[in-house]
Amino acid sequence: MPALSRADTSLLGRWWWTVDRWTLLAIATLIGFGYVMMLAASPAVAERIGQSRDLFILKQVVFLAAAGLLVVLVSLLSPRGVRRLALAGCLAALLLTAMTLVHGVEIKGARRWIALPGLSLQPSEFLKPCFAVVTAWLLAEARRVPRFPGTLLACGLYGVIAVLLKSQPDIGMLAVVTAVFFAQLFVGGLNLVLVGLALAAFASAGVGAYALFAHVRSRVLRFVHPDTGDSYQVDKALEAFGNGGLLGRGPGEGRVKDVLPDAHADFVFAVAGEEFGMLLCTLLLGLFAFIVIRGLLLLLEESDLFVVLASAGLVTSFGLQAFVNMGSSLHLIPTKGMTLPFVSYGGSSVLAVALGMGMLLALTRKRHHGEVP
Amino acid sequence: MKRETRRSGVFTRRAALMAAGQVAALGVLGAKLYQVQVVEGARYALLAKTNRVSARLIAPPRGRILDRFGTVLAGNKMNWRALLIAEQTDDIQITLNNFAQLVPLTDYERGRIDRELRRHRRFIPVTVREFLTWEDMARIEVNAPDLPGILVDVGQTRLYPEGEKLAHVVGYVAPPSEADMGDDPMLSLPGIRVGRAGIEKYHDLPLRGRAGAVQLEVNAVGRVIRELDRQEGTPGVEIGTTIDTELQQQVLARLGDESASAVVLDARNGEVLAMATNPSFDPTLFNSGVSQAQWVEWTNNRRAPLINKAAAGLYAPGSTFKMAVALAGLDARTLTTGDRITCPGYLDLGDTRFHCWSKYGHGTLDLHGGLKHSCDVFFYEVARRTGMDRIAVMANRLGLGTELEIELPSARKGLIPTREWRIAQGHPWNIGDTIVSGIGQGYIEVTPLQLATYCARVATGRVVQPHLTRTMAGVLQPGSRAEDWPALGVAERQLHAVRDGMYAVVNEAGGTAPHARLPLAGVALAGKTGSAQVRRVSRELREHGNFNSAKLPWEWRPHALFVAFAPYDAPRYAVSVVVEHGNAGADVAAPLARDIMVDTLTRDPVNRQNPPGQRVAQGNTPA
């Protein structure tokens, strides 16, 4: 398929021969799958919420196309370019996230969105990949330049984001950001005692969230005692999986999308399970696993700390998000409003994930040693 | 550089560790996916398929009704039937016409089917024809393509092996009416029956049982693809009655062709051993709906086969009422056992003369003599002294004119008139009304069952209630022991005086019922005759002297009654016999009562060791 010669030294030519084409293929497949799932789940949802189904679908088609383009464009950047983009993005997203507290649109009890003409934007989605890259840079710089207070700055940045996300509140996102930061510290060689302390802090934060936020508590209680509360969504999702069986009921034959309000977003995995069966779900799971594992394995050959930490953060963010979404649908963990990367409906989510994946591809491109800074 | 390498080693180790963690997490996801989609898939699939799964009730077998020795009085048998589901055929009439060519349908049946089709929704199966033979079924199955909407299934139908013998006691079942269906979805099933009379009606709810449910997978047109789940219902409770079928058979044989009824009680606990009503009817006819012709025949029959004469037939007790009058007098101290009253053959009260049955009079009599000769004047006088209200209270205590706790919904209360009742009717109570009440005539109406109960209470001094339920689901019900029943509250001395009079009626020379004497050695029967006038004997008829009730048309002849208990010295059985228009109790009813008592004492059902409870328990294991 490549029409590009190895000798081609143009920007695109060099990109093609250095980018990790396996991950690229996996991402392209995911985007294609997202397209199919959107066609399957969205008409029913559009009909229910009273929107024009053509417009509803068209919007997501545009977003998916934009996401594909974004992945490629961002992956063209050099690691330095990625760093700059992330820094800019992080500042912008931070600002916008702060703005949600003042001008945010309240949806389902949380202020996470900023209304823009034609769409509502969730800036915290973009914060995730940018934060991962920025902290990686700060931590790596702290190692390289002993006097640079990188670790402190990274902790400060994390603290500010944590406060913002807690205020929205968006505990799911906070958990992801925390996990990303922790993963980076861990991979960056954090003292094991401190790792233990961090894990303890993580656990107590979980308990705190349970104690402080009613919606977190209700979701956990529903998870632990499915009989006592309203576990309608999870019940329906599990029914859908069971209904799909090994091979599924066939595209468009699903029922769960008619009865689940979030079928196109948080429970899209259940729609996939019902219509395409376990084999395709396993394939989907495999794609996510492949991207995550390949991303981490590529780091084994990498010697640049910034690249290692940034990639680890991005991969963790991506993998954790997928895990939380699928785990919620399968009643493995309490329901948490988190999208399935590339597959769930939603502009912010798809573009933010594309940004992160583009950065990952850019960072994992083959380079001559020492080319980085 | 070495330090750099070591650090890099830490990075890669930890990155690998992270990768392993992620693999583990995703592995858990995969495992859960497998569990949910494949392992539990079937269960969730069932839950999700509500649209395509149709739940249907399955009728539980109706509880059986047994006699006291385990003989089946009401059971179930297989019933192959053809059903029609209206929504599965384009034209109901064409389907029914095609069906009628295979299995002829009468106009009456067509009318019933049309009626039921109108009454039910289009997806509810309606019975076209029940009790199909194998040949009918084969014909229907072969021609199935011409019979859209027809399906053949097997249900259960009620079977009464003893047929007419116990029709009035056991009762019968019939398809539920619209009104019945409100509370129980089970009743909309085809072939389901509800109790309409007798024990079948009284114990209908426990007999019904609880419906089971079957989950069927059906395709778009409602055809059953396969059965997904089946929960058997709970069969109805088995009712063990107090009846002795053999004795019932013997009693019926004694009654012969008479329009008559007889009740045999265990005097000590009120168990109804036999309750015979003649003529009777075939209870299975109600199963599928009684034909118009049959109904007309029953209702026009002046011997009223559908009426349970023993519990719902109302008769004036006649002279059998005299024990109640005597006890009322003794209790009120308006009469002592030594009081003597002279009978000149009549009692004049104002300008009205009340005749004794013997126009020559009985001379001077005490209570013993009054009962023995059944002297009317003696009891006119006792009634006059005691007053109607006190007589009514005593009669009610003895079970006459009151609601008995019998498991027969059709049982009637009868009437013991009181001053208050008559005034409520808008008439004054005359002293003459009290006088005629003294010999059980006038407004008094009682049932044969009440008479037997009355006799048992006099014999035992306990307020026994007649009852038919001995066991439910094999468990003995309360009331089977004499101690379960409270004392009557009448002094034993007074009861004894009355029993003594009843003994004299049968066993002493000059008593009114010598025919009732038992042909058994060492066992004596005590009893009382009665004849209840259907038509008031006018004075001129009496004075012209040619009054002979035997020459009257059948409907105008008086009823013949007899109540008895035996053995006299240790009362065990109480019997009442009423022969409609049988003339004098002494001639017709007394010998019948004697024969029935002989049968009962010979068979002695109470002391036969074969309690039904044990039989049921043993019935579960193969012999």
Side-chain angles (χ1 to χ4, degrees):
Chain A
M1 90 177 157
L4 293 164
S5 151
R6 256 190 203 276
D8 192 340
T9 53
S10 72
L11 190 68
L12 217 58
R14 268 189 293 141
W15 171 78
W16 177 253
W17 291 113
T18 52
V19 79
D20 182 36
R21 286 184 298 275
W22 283 111
T23 308
L24 193 65
L25 180 65
I27 292 171
T29 312
L30 273 181
I31 292 179
F33 197 82
Y35 179 73
V36 172
M37 284 320 297
M38 183 265 304
L39 288 181
S42 296
V45 176
E47 222 158 278
R48 192 172 49 243
I49 64 179
Q51 284 202 16
S52 151
R53 55 190 268 183
D54 290 344
L55 188 66
F56 202 74
I57 290 174
L58 192 66
K59 261 161 80 175
Q60 190 67 4
V61 170
V62 170
F63 279 128
L64 284 171
L69 200 62
L70 192 63
V71 169
V72 173
L73 283 179
V74 173
S75 66
L76 285 171
L77 294 171
S78 66
R80 194 195 307 260
V82 168
R83 202 158 66 205
R84 286 176 182 159
L85 177 66
L87 202 58
C90 191
L91 287 173
L94 210 55
L95 207 66
L96 287 171
T97 306
M99 265 180 68
T100 59
L101 298 179
V102 190
H103 293 291
V105 185
E106 186 164 331
I107 302 178
K108 288 185 264 180
R111 287 174 172 273
R112 298 174 192 167
W113 291 268
I114 287 185
L116 293 179
L119 76 152
S120 44
L121 188 76
Q122 192 181 357
S124 55
E125 286 279 3
F126 295 94
L127 205 51
K128 264 187 300 191
C130 296
F131 170 78
V133 175
V134 171
T135 47
W137 172 63
L138 289 172
L139 291 172
E141 206 60 17
R143 295 271 174 152
R144 211 169 56 88
V145 186
R147 281 186 304 143
F148 184 67
T151 313
L152 209 64
L153 280 174
C155 287
L157 181 62
Y158 169 71
V160 170
I161 290 174
V163 168
L164 278 177
L165 289 178
K166 197 196 84 83
S167 316
Q168 279 191 330
D170 192 344
I171 304 306
M173 189 72 78
L174 177 56
V176 170
V177 168
T178 307
V180 166
F181 192 43
F182 178 74
Q184 289 179 326
L185 290 174
F186 177 72
V187 174
L190 188 67
N191 188 324
L192 282 175
V193 174
L194 288 176
V195 170
L197 282 177
L199 281 175
F202 213 75
S204 56
V207 173
Y210 176 81
L212 281 173
F213 303 110
H215 76 282
V216 175
R217 185 162 49 241
S218 96
R219 285 195 176 179
V220 173
L221 282 176
R222 261 185 250 165
F223 176 73
V224 180
H225 307 291
D227 300 332
T228 56
D230 168 19
S231 54
Y232 174 77
Q233 301 213 64
V234 168
D235 289 348
K236 286 291 159 204
L238 288 178
E239 272 179 36
F241 281 113
N243 217 357
L246 204 58
L247 298 172
R249 300 172 68 110
E253 296 292 331
R255 291 245 157 68
V256 71
K257 60 193 183 197
D258 296 323
V259 296
L260 266 192
D262 267 335
H264 62 313
D266 293 359
F267 284 95
V268 74
F269 194 49
V271 178
E274 185 177 22
E275 301 200 355
F276 301 104
M278 180 178 165
L279 290 184
L280 215 80
C281 279
T282 315
L283 181 68
L284 197 57
L285 199 64
L287 282 174
F288 285 114
F290 177 79
I291 291 173
V292 168
I293 291 159
R294 184 159 180 88
L296 288 169
L297 290 180
L298 284 176
L299 299 184
L300 298 181
E301 296 159 18
E302 186 60 54
S303 55
D304 186 87
L305 186 57
F306 164 65
V307 171
V308 169
L309 292 182
S311 302
L314 290 168
V315 159
T316 305
S317 160
F318 181 79
L320 192 62
Q321 195 174 335
F323 175 79
V324 168
N325 177 281
M326 293 189 281
S328 296
S329 295
L330 284 168
H331 199 234
L332 204 59
I333 56 171
T335 46
K336 199 72 226 70
M338 207 167 280
T339 52
L340 192 57
F342 291 121
V343 182
S344 287
Y345 189 95
S348 304
S349 154
V350 165
L351 291 178
V353 172
L355 180 66
M357 285 296 100
M359 288 172 166
L360 181 71
L361 285 172
L363 292 172
T364 53
R365 277 169 67 182
K366 293 194 197 83
R367 284 178 311 270
H368 299 297
H369 191 69
E371 198 191 352
V372 176
Chain B
M1 201 62 217
K2 204 176 171 190
R3 185 192 151 114
E4 187 76 27
T5 319
R6 207 173 60 227
R7 182 176 293 167
S8 161
V10 169
F11 302 160
T12 52
R13 251 203 326 278
R14 293 206 173 173
L17 212 58
M18 290 259 305
Q22 301 262 12
V23 169
L26 292 169
V28 169
L29 265 186
K32 177 77 179 180
L33 199 60
Y34 177 76
Q35 184 204 356
V36 169
Q37 292 211 269
V38 178
V39 179
E40 291 180 306
R43 185 165 74 84
Y44 284 118
L46 187 66
L47 287 171
K49 277 182 190 160
T50 40
N51 299 347
R52 299 199 302 164
V53 171
S54 109
R56 290 188 192 166
L57 293 172
I58 13 181
R62 194 173 167 86
R64 297 191 305 167
I65 299 173
L66 310 177
D67 87 344
R68 66 187 298 119
F69 300 122
T71 305
V72 177
L73 304 183
N76 304 303
K77 71 169 180 194
M78 294 290 217
N79 168 21
W80 297 94
R81 65 201 171 194
L83 307 174
L84 173 65
I85 301 176
E87 67 177 5
Q88 288 182 10
T89 171
D90 295 331
D91 190 320
I92 294 166
Q93 294 312 322
I94 288 177
T95 296
L96 284 177
N97 287 339
N98 291 344
F99 184 90
Q101 285 179 356
L102 304 171
V103 184
L105 293 172
T106 65
D107 287 349
Y108 176 77
E109 280 177 302
R110 287 294 283 261
R112 178 189 56 77
I113 294 164
D114 286 343
R115 238 181 1 260
E116 285 195 32
L117 283 171
R118 274 200 303 277
R119 227 166 49 191
H120 297 299
R121 277 174 293 174
R122 289 176 54 77
F123 58 86
I124 291 182
V126 160
T127 307
V128 175
R129 170 58 80 77
E130 293 191 286
F131 314 111
L132 294 170
T133 63
W134 278 108
E135 284 142 53
D136 291 340
M137 287 193 19
R139 273 205 292 274
I140 293 166
E141 291 292 345
V142 166
N143 292 282
D146 295 334
L147 301 168
I150 293 276
L151 70 122
V152 172
D153 83 340
V154 63
Q156 288 198 322
T157 187
R158 208 59 167 156
L159 181 70
Y160 298 103
E162 302 300 327
E164 299 195 353
K165 263 183 250 174
L166 281 151
H168 294 109
V169 174
V170 174
Y172 52 85
V173 292
S177 71
E178 196 87 330
D180 295 320
M181 290 200 194
D183 55 333
D184 193 345
M186 186 176 102
L187 296 185
S188 60
L189 292 173
I192 205 79
R193 299 286 183 264
V194 295
R196 276 276 175 269
I199 293 170
E200 291 271 32
K201 183 177 182 184
Y202 185 86
H203 285 307
D204 190 41
L205 283 179
L207 281 169
R208 270 186 215 171
R210 277 220 318 280
V214 60
Q215 301 248 319
L216 299 170
E217 190 174 344
V218 294
N219 68 8
V221 295
R223 192 163 296 281
V224 175
I225 305 295
R226 65 193 167 112
E227 191 176 299
L228 298 170
D229 186 33
R230 175 179 279 266
Q231 282 181 308
E232 293 296 340
T234 316
V237 165
E238 191 164 74
I239 308 278
T241 64
T242 56
I243 295 289
D244 175 2
T245 311
E246 279 296 312
L247 182 63
Q248 175 86 4
Q249 168 66 46
Q250 290 172 347
V251 171
L252 277 166
R254 295 292 184 193
L255 294 184
D257 291 334
E258 297 281 5
S259 175
S261 62
V263 177
V264 181
L265 294 184
D266 181 335
R268 300 194 308 181
N269 60 15
E271 286 183 353
V272 179
L273 300 169
M275 183 186 274
T277 292
N278 211 28
S280 187
F281 62 93
D282 179 359
T284 47
L285 292 177
F286 282 90
N287 246 342
S288 47
V290 175
S291 72
Q292 192 69 26
Q294 179 67 71
W295 187 256
V296 167
E297 191 209 306
W298 278 337
T299 46
N300 286 350
N301 190 332
R302 58 185 184 172
R303 285 147 41 110
L306 289 182
I307 307 263
N308 181 356
K309 297 189 181 77
L314 293 178
Y315 308 93
S319 299
T320 59
F321 192 64
K322 287 173 181 167
M323 286 85 81
V325 177
L327 284 171
L330 292 169
D331 197 51
R333 308 206 178 283
T334 50
L335 173 73
T336 66
T337 48
D339 276 354
R340 301 177 74 82
I341 293 166
T342 302
C343 167
Y346 56 85
L347 175 73
D348 280 329
L349 206 70
D351 55 0
T352 315
R353 174 162 288 190
F354 296 90
H355 290 276
C356 188
W357 65 269
S358 162
K359 56 182 169 186
Y360 309 109
H362 289 102
T364 301
L365 294 165
D366 62 0
L367 175 59
H368 180 88
L371 281 171
K372 175 178 167 185
H373 300 289
S374 195
C375 173
D376 290 343
V377 170
F378 184 91
F379 289 96
Y380 290 149
E381 175 61 18
V382 176
R384 192 190 62 77
R385 292 183 196 170
T386 311
M388 191 60 218
D389 288 349
R390 287 194 284 204
I391 293 173
V393 168
M394 179 54 75
N396 288 340
R397 265 164 85 184
L398 293 169
L400 297 172
T402 67
E403 211 89 63
L404 295 175
E405 293 165 16
I406 188 78
E407 297 91 325
L408 296 171
S410 68
R412 294 181 69 176
K413 186 179 172 215
L415 175 73
I416 305 294
T418 59
R419 196 177 297 272
E420 208 179 313
W421 167 84
R422 188 66 181 153
I423 289 166
Q425 282 205 324
H427 302 283
W429 181 265
N430 299 318
I431 183 67
D433 296 328
T434 306
I435 302 300
V436 296
S437 296
I439 61 160
Q441 305 284 355
Y443 308 111
I444 303 179
E445 283 182 321
V446 299
T447 66
L449 179 68
Q450 289 177 341
L451 286 173
T453 307
Y454 157 64
C455 187
R457 289 183 184 182
V458 168
T460 61
R462 286 185 187 275
V463 192
V464 293
Q465 288 283 357
H467 58 276
L468 287 160
T469 312
R470 204 170 121 80
T471 62
M472 287 181 80
V475 179
L476 202 62
Q477 299 297 297
S480 59
R481 295 172 309 153
E483 305 86 74
D484 291 343
W485 304 106
L488 195 53
V490 175
E492 177 59 26
R493 206 166 45 79
Q494 297 169 355
L495 286 171
H496 181 79
V498 169
R499 285 183 214 133
D500 181 54
M502 291 171 76
Y503 175 86
V505 167
V506 178
N507 299 294
E508 286 181 9
T512 51
H515 302 310
R517 203 169 300 165
L518 287 183
L520 306 171
V523 188
L525 174 150
K528 185 74 195 75
T529 56
S531 44
Q533 286 167 15
V534 177
R535 184 166 162 272
R536 195 168 278 261
V537 180
S538 72
R539 179 187 288 186
E540 60 190 306
L541 204 58
R542 192 184 297 277
E543 284 176 356
H544 282 90
N546 54 1
F547 172 73
N548 183 349
S549 62
K551 289 181 184 161
L552 285 170
W554 184 76
E555 300 96 302
W556 289 359
R557 292 180 205 161
H559 302 309
L561 295 85
F562 197 78
V563 298
F565 67 87
Y568 167 71
D569 40 12
R572 185 80 233 212
Y573 298 106
V575 169
S576 75
V577 176
V578 174
V579 180
E580 289 192 335
H581 311 293
N583 276 324
D587 298 336
V588 179
L592 271 179
R594 175 200 63 202
D595 292 343
I596 289 168
M597 191 59 92
V598 169
D599 291 339
T600 306
L601 288 168
T602 311
R603 188 167 162 74
D604 201 16
V606 168
N607 292 319
R608 275 187 174 235
Q609 285 308 309
N610 204 357
Q614 284 175 20
R615 265 180 76 113
V616 172
Q618 287 164 357
N620 291 331
T621 52

